[in-house]
């Protein structure tokens, strides 16, 4: 029997990592065409993940690049519709909540191609977040909604979405479990940076709510300057650009580095004394690796990590950053909230059964 044709749309860093796990599981049953929108394009934001995670390079790169939300999403929509018409996939797979996710879902929905959404049902309940708009709209046009958590299933139910909903766990857990031992063996990032386990904190910042506001960025840097630890900060290009624009220098205890590949990132995360981040994926990885997390946001989609005592929300408040770092104590347990590392296989099995 001919394999069923599936087109997967990726475009931003976390989607390459998620696709690495899911594409491996789809291989035996589906003929997958990986489409890269080109939303992220720097070698360190894109190419490195394909070379180091064993992902087959995308068959199509739309080269959309950066722009305003409308420019970027619009360009993707136009290019994706053309490609879907040509490729005639039986289903389109999208990941997460970026502009690439929304464009993939909307382009498919309008020409009646069924859609599977991986990481469905997440909500911050903050409509000022571009990602919240992308997720709500994507969920409402999707046919298969693969939820990582019970909270995600409940969020969908509240919006009247119950059909096609599957709680499968989190594909980022699959990726982490698959690559962790390799990362420990291969990455020399601690030596390269001259740092030791437990003697540094790791930070990432890229959310619009933080980066687009010079006062928030200033307050975060001020909070960082008061921590009694070195902080390694792999700088997202968006943040790099805005720090330069605000003429904001970083405190002495903050070491800025270029974005790193996934293997280096896992090693940096696992060995940090604390993670400070506004990233969704990094909050989850901190939890999975048993590293305390201070989240530089007012809300999170990953409420389980907060409820379990491993994550604290501090926004961009300097004082809260300092007191969270100084007063944190390790919870006794870390419940398994994100599946068993076989989420991708479950997704593939559900799709194989229903298509
Ligand atoms: C995007 C997603 C966000 C996700 C993040 C992952 C949207 C609305 N946002 O945010 O949900 O958490 O990716 O990292 O889809 N840039 C470069 N080189 C690159 C990519 C970006 O220099 O390879 C710079 C450009 O100046 C660009 C800016 O970063 O304007 C922002 O990039 P963009 O893709 O629009 O959003 P992200 O902040 O990366
Ligand atoms: N990541 C990485 N290198 C970095 C920063 C992040 O490999 O320099 C990985 C991180 O381990 C996680 C994912 O990128 O798997 C998270 O992506 P990001 O923070 O860009 O987006 P978000 O998850 O917030 O959408």
């Amino acid at each position: 029997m001919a394999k069923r044709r599936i087109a997967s749309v990726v475009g931003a860093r976390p989607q390459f990592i998620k696709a690495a796990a899911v594409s491996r599981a789809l291989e035996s049953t589906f003929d997958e065409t990986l489409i890269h929108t080109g939303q992220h394009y720097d070698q360190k934001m894109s190419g490195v993940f394909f070379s180091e995670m064993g992902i087959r390079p995308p068959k199509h790169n739309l080269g959309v690049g950066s722009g305003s939300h409308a420019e970027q999403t619009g360009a993707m929509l136009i290019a994706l519709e053309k490609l879907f018409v040509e490729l005639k996939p039986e289903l389109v797979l999208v990941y997460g909540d970026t502009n690439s996710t929304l464009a993939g879902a909307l382009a498919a929905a309008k020409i009646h191609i069924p859609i599977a959404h991986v990481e469905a049902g997440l909500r911050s309940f903050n409509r000022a977040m571009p990602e919240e708009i992308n997720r709500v709209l994507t969920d409402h046009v999707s046919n298969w909604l693969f939820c990582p958590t019970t909270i995600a299933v409940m969020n969908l139910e509240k919006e009247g979405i119950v059909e096609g909903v599957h709680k499968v766990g989190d594909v980022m857990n699959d990726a982490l479990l698959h690559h962790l031992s390799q990362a420990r063996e291969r990455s020399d990032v601690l030596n390269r940076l001259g740092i030791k386990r437990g003697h540094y904190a790791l930070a990432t910042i890229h959310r619009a709510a933080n980066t687009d506001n010079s006062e928030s960025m200033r307050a975060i840097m001020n909070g960082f300057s008061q921590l009694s630890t070195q902080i390694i900060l792999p700088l997202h290009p968006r943040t790099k650009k805005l720090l330069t624009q605000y003429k904001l220098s970083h405190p002495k205890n903050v070491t800025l580095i270029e974005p790193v590949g996934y293997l280096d990132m896992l090693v940096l995360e696992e060995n940090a004394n604390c993670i400070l981040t506004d990233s969704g994926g990094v909050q989850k990885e901190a939890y999975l690796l048993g590293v305390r997390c201070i989240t530089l946001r007012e809300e999170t989609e990953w409420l389980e990590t907060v409820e379990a005592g491993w994550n604290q929300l501090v926004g961009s408040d300097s004082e809260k950053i300092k007191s969270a770092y100084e007063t944190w104590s390790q919870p006794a347990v870390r419940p398994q909230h994100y599946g068993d590392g076989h989420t991708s296989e479950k997704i593939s099995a559900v799709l194989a059964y229903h298509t």
Side-chain angles (χ1 to χ4, degrees):
M1 201 172 77
K3 285 184 178 177
R4 275 154 289 189
R5 289 186 312 283
I6 184 164
S8 305
V9 179
V10 295
R13 173 166 67 186
Q15 295 168 331
F16 311 138
I17 294 162
K18 292 166 198 173
V22 177
S23 292
R24 208 175 305 117
L26 291 175
E27 210 163 7
S28 58
T29 322
F30 290 92
D31 174 11
E32 186 192 24
T33 303
L34 191 63
I35 303 170
H36 188 328
T37 62
Q39 177 169 353
H40 286 175
Y41 42 86
D42 290 349
Q43 169 63 14
K44 290 185 168 133
M45 294 297 289
S46 172
V48 64
F49 298 96
F50 292 90
S51 51
E52 104 181 346
M53 297 182 78
I55 323 173
R56 248 184 276 141
K59 282 201 188 121
H60 304 269
N61 189 324
L62 308 178
V64 165
S66 306
S68 72
H69 288 286
E71 283 164 353
Q72 195 179 51
T73 316
M76 289 174 189
L77 263 175
I78 294 167
L80 282 168
E81 185 186 61
K82 269 196 199 119
L83 200 53
F84 291 162
V85 167
E86 184 192 317
L87 297 171
K88 299 189 181 51
E90 285 155 89
L91 106 101
V92 163
L93 185 67
V94 295
Y95 293 93
D97 53 19
T98 71
N99 288 347
S100 299
T101 315
L102 177 62
L106 209 48
K110 292 280 187 156
I111 52 173
H112 312 133
I113 304 173
I115 301 152
H117 184 202
V118 175
E119 230 178 55
L122 296 177
R123 298 289 181 269
S124 64
F125 302 101
N126 174 2
R127 291 274 170 119
M129 253 185 113
E131 292 85 357
E132 185 77 352
I133 307 293
N134 292 341
R135 334 178 157 108
V136 171
L137 296 177
T138 300
D139 283 339
H140 281 260
V141 293
S142 291
N143 305 75
W144 292 276
L145 298 105
F146 293 111
C147 294
T149 60
T150 307
I151 294 176
V153 174
M154 282 159 48
N155 288 338
L156 290 177
E157 205 176 315
K158 284 185 205 140
E159 293 174 22
I161 305 177
V162 286
E163 252 176 69
V165 175
H166 300 266
K167 185 191 160 193
V168 286
D170 199 303
V171 297
M172 291 192 91
N173 190 22
D174 296 15
L176 183 144
L177 293 174
H178 188 84
H179 287 95
L180 191 56
S181 53
Q182 211 183 330
R184 287 172 182 152
E185 273 164 33
R186 280 179 37 195
S187 168
D188 63 348
V189 68
L190 300 187
N191 281 343
R192 273 190 350 255
L193 295 174
I195 52 177
K196 287 205 175 76
R197 176 175 172 79
H199 289 261
Y200 67 93
L202 176 71
T204 78
I205 310 165
H206 74 275
R207 290 277 160 218
N210 286 325
T211 57
D212 291 3
N213 178 334
S214 63
E215 281 317 306
S216 296
M217 284 305 296
R218 212 173 291 281
I220 290 172
M221 289 300 167
N222 184 18
F224 284 3
S225 73
Q226 296 176 54
L227 305 190
S228 53
T229 185
Q230 181 184 5
I231 301 171
I232 303 294
L233 173 50
L235 208 52
H236 191 290
R238 173 191 198 104
T239 317
K240 185 177 183 180
K241 186 174 79 179
L242 289 160
L243 282 178
T244 313
Q245 199 174 305
Y246 304 147
K247 300 191 173 58
L248 191 60
S249 58
H250 56 281
K252 279 199 204 70
N253 63 328
V254 173
T255 307
L256 299 183
I257 60 171
E258 293 279 307
V260 293
Y262 185 59
L263 302 184
D264 283 349
M265 189 63 181
L266 288 180
V267 168
L268 283 173
E269 287 173 338
E270 190 181 26
N271 291 289
N273 62 40
C274 175
I275 289 178
L276 302 119
T277 190
D278 58 12
S279 155
V282 175
Q283 282 177 65
K284 243 180 317 175
E285 285 162 358
Y287 184 80
L288 293 166
L289 293 166
V291 180
R292 62 177 168 149
C293 186
I294 297 174
T295 293
L296 308 165
R297 289 181 50 197
E298 302 291 346
E299 71 285 306
T300 182
E301 299 77 24
W302 307 104
L303 275 176
E304 316 76 26
T305 60
V306 177
E307 282 162 8
W310 286 87
N311 191 0
Q312 254 179 283
L313 303 177
V314 299
S316 56
D317 186 313
S318 319
E319 285 309 310
K320 285 189 187 165
I321 293 172
K322 181 170 179 250
S323 92
Y325 185 81
E326 284 173 358
T327 59
W328 193 84
S329 63
Q330 175 130 336
V333 289
R334 196 156 41 89
Q336 194 189 54
H337 283 301
Y338 298 114
D340 56 4
H342 295 285
T343 293
S344 306
E345 287 102 307
K346 288 179 196 147
I347 291 173
S348 179
V350 169
L351 292 176
Y353 182 77
H354 289 280
T355 53

